[in-house]
Amino acid sequence: MGRCRHYLLMLTSALAFAAHAGMPESTSEPVLPRADVQTMRTWIAEMKEDRRGPFENIRWYCQDGSVLEPEPYACEPHGGGIQHGAWSDRTQAIRAAGFPIANVLAALEPIEVVGHGAEPDLLPFLLLEKFLIAFDDGWILRKARAYRGALQIDDERLSATRMLRMLLGDPVWRERFLVLREASRLLPVAVSAERLTEIRGLSTTLAEQDAGFAPLRDKTHNAPDAQDAERIRAYAAAQGLAAANPAYAQLADMIEQAYADRPLAAALLDLSQRVRDHKLANQLVRFSEALDHVENAQDQLRWSAEILQFLRIHLLKLGSPTVRLDALKVSLIAGTQAFTSSRMLFGNVDTASRGMRLTWMHWSARALFGMGLLTRAELDQMETVLLGLQQAPPSPGQYQADLQYLERATGWASRRLTYHFGAAITGLRPLEPLVDFYIPDRLRASPMLFYSDLLESLLEDAARIGGVQHRFLGESISAGLRPLNPGLAEGVLNTTPQHGAAPATSATAIWLLPETTANLPPVAGILTAGEGNALSHIQLLARSLGIPNVVVAQSLIPRLQELHGHHIVLAASSMGIVQVERYGPEWAGVFREQVVEAQPQTIQVNIEKLDLSNRAFLSTRDLGADDSGRTVGPKAAHVGELTRRFPGKVSPGLVIPFGIYSALLERPRIRGSPQSMFSWMQASYLEMARLEPLARIEREQSFLSEVRDWILSQPLEPRFAQALREAMEANFGPDGSYGVFVRSDTNVEDLPGFTGAGLNRTVHHVVGVAAVLDAIREVWASPFSERAFRWRQGHMDFPEHVYASVLLHESVPAEKSGVMITADPDTADTRFLTIVTSPGVGGGVDGQAAETLRVNLETGAVRLLASATAAQMRVLRNTGGSVLVEAPAPDRLLLPEELQQLVDLAQALPTSYPPLLDAQGNRAPADIEFGFQDGQLKLFQIRPFVQNARTSRNRYLGTLDAALRERQARAIHTVDLQALPGKPTDRLHSVPTTPMTGTPSLMPGPEVTP
């Protein structure tokens, strides 16, 4: 079974893998002692087997606040009220710990759940509880569904309906289509009150005749569902009264009919009569009439997809919130039909041509958009690719590249679900790990399963044609491995890394991660379950050092986890060939050769250029690119160059030069001692270089700790503080009227052969001179964190000559920000731009789920690689610092006019900016950090985009690519889309069609807009 389908069948989502790998997500889980969580899990297990579940007893809850015994009509003298279960002490303790379980909808006011002041994750949490109840045979209500009076279904249904109507009438909520549709699916609004009354009446009659039927009667009263029909039939067959058999059968049939989807055609016709817009109503009628003539699964899938798309696009135009709710119910029926028809088609997939499979993928994609799993922008990009494949027979390379692009759809859908439900999943996981099945369940219950099956078959076909064959633990595979960074590495596989840990041996390990994390310590190689952000600091750092990074399909991860602690090899070639193998004697020669070939990659410190005599604060207005490595680091130097070259786009900056930092290190290490801190550091480096590895590691740890503590404890002289205050006021204005980012800017980062991105400290939006002084010490100490030291140290020729300047850069409260590379990072083709953008400040650099675009500068074409789906964004606080808040996830984040500003900048750089050079002295693409404030481009940083030259020269990786080129040279010139996959000369003689669809193609389907 291939990667795409396995991605759905085995996916426990990046969140689940993060939990098992010990890599917590950014959203915090309830902070509880481990014993408390284990105790609560035990309570949950006991609730599943308790006939009262999470409840202690039944009570009346009256309008005046009275809580009364369950006497008939007990609340009438108190203004009315509702009856339901009262939480047990255990349930209340769990809820108090931050897990809002055992929700009674009737006890919730809609405004508490969906109002503007409500907790943003409360509705997703409530929906996840409904999912668990359906997924886990009732979950904590498993036995309590028969606890009479605990839940009153009429009250539950009424409350759910009110909640959904409020959602559909709220301008904030009604744009969240996926959540709205999930709420209409999971909340009890689908079955009419009249039909439920009939079911309850007959079940009560049966219980009067048969006392043993009482638990099932209570179940159909309190928590009815579609499976009750089968439960009743099983009861009748095993222990029912023979005389009551007709009544059992009648009740089971009534339940089946109540929960059976109405015929889609009838539901559309009924909805059309309630829609006031005549054009929309007429389109619904046309859909209904078309469905009456559908004769096969192919047409059923096509029309279901078009209906789903139409209902999503026009939901808000169909009428009142009540009509919109009815439209969502019709959407659920259409979604079920799309799924069932796709599974029927899958039975005939072996006889379908390549073109037919692409057509089915196209319709599936439209259905997925209609269900809220894809955005309009994502669907548009997919349709462009799918239609492009039909216009002319593609070459094998184009065929494979387009299919690999279409593979992104599964990740897009998963990220969209994670955006809406990820925080609630993370919050509930400590209590109930089964919640990790929610996202896989949603993908598997949609046409995404069919889409992935089809795509998998075509990817394997493309790999055979193009000659791409990976090696995975002794087997040849055509899919499931995709390189992000090329490279060759060997090391011990670590599948359980702890977040933030930097074990001394990590630099010789290959790590398996949920996705590439921002705080990754030095490693030999990276295997990731999720691509993450291709331009994050850690990705750029790994790329510059030639560290291979490969995305691994979920289907392969269990086999990798079995190899935890084993020595493996990871190879990723520039053309996309991947090998993951156990290390053995046959690899020894390969790595000996690599050592001989490799030229030592060192961070070249130009000591002669250094000017440590300058101890005056410098304005970025007076700096240029040539000052890099002399008085200040490259960050400040290039900010100065950008300020001159692009006036108005760069905020003011003030720099504390190397000389002031050097003067700090000239102080005595110990008060009264003649030995300076700098001379002690020089001696320590020489000592550590002579030690054996384990002893050296231990000595390095104590050395780093001492250096950090020493710097942080050093007092800053009053005259320094006063001079800083005066310089800041001259550059930024009166104290307190601005904020600054306090940014580390050493002489050993952003160099032609080493990026160092993100290794050292940046303190966000510091307000006031006193706070800036504290932040300066933090930044000076940050090069001596274990993580920064270990990434840097193996590449230093003069380790004592690390000097830190500090850039105080005036804060820009950007609404969106990101990173642009003036090339395709995979091919270094400068005809393209690669742009990563996230809402808020600091976008893209920390690996957020960001919008990623590739822009063709020659044609202007823009390809969407990923949407912005990070649940949180960073915003600046007026009082200083920053805070994470809920982030939007729009179809497109960068507006066309904003994108054009970035394109204009990229096109201007070659002639208006000094060349950025790589380690060989050649012009390098630019790596630019930017933001937008009020729609205007702001520039924060520019540096060379560093590729690892040794990787391209690696002989072993070169042999992999040479073999691939030879296979491709022998391959067919074009791919026949009318042939069966794997049989390029065989054409289908016929394809099932009807007069409605005509010849299958990828042309747009029926018109869905009036």
Side-chain angles (χ1 to χ4, degrees), residues 61-80:
Y61 295 85
C62 307
Q63 289 289 340
D64 65 0
S66 302
V67 179
L68 307 175
E69 295 290 328
E71 301 292 336
Y73 312 109
C75 279
E76 278 194 357
H78 300 270

Side-chain angles (χ1 to χ4, degrees), residues 774-821:
D774 290 337
I776 288 169
R777 277 189 290 255
E778 287 185 51
V779 168
W780 276 339
S782 67
F784 300 96
S785 71
E786 286 199 31
R787 177 173 176 269
F789 180 84
R790 299 202 186 286
W791 272 113
R792 178 187 73 234
Q793 198 60 19
H795 307 282
M796 286 285 297
D797 51 357
F798 298 105
E800 67 270 27
H801 289 296
V802 176
Y803 297 99
S805 63
V806 180
L807 171 60
L808 310 180
H809 206 176
E810 186 173 63
S811 303
V812 176
E815 293 94 17
K816 58 192 78 169
S817 54
V819 180
M820 175 172 71
I821 304 296

Side-chain angles (χ1 to χ4, degrees), residues 264-266 268-273 277-294 303 306-307 310 314 996 1006-1010:
L264 183 54
L268 287 163
L269 194 59
D270 182 58
L271 180 61
S272 72
Q273 295 170 4
D277 186 303
H278 294 301
K279 290 183 179 179
L280 297 179
N282 289 339
Q283 182 63 62
L284 291 169
V285 172
R286 287 195 291 272
F287 281 139
S288 178
E289 292 172 346
L291 288 171
D292 288 336
H293 299 90
V294 166
W303 283 105
E306 301 305 334
I307 291 163
F310 176 88
H314 298 292
M996 185 183 306
E1007 183 64 40
V1008 297
T1009 55

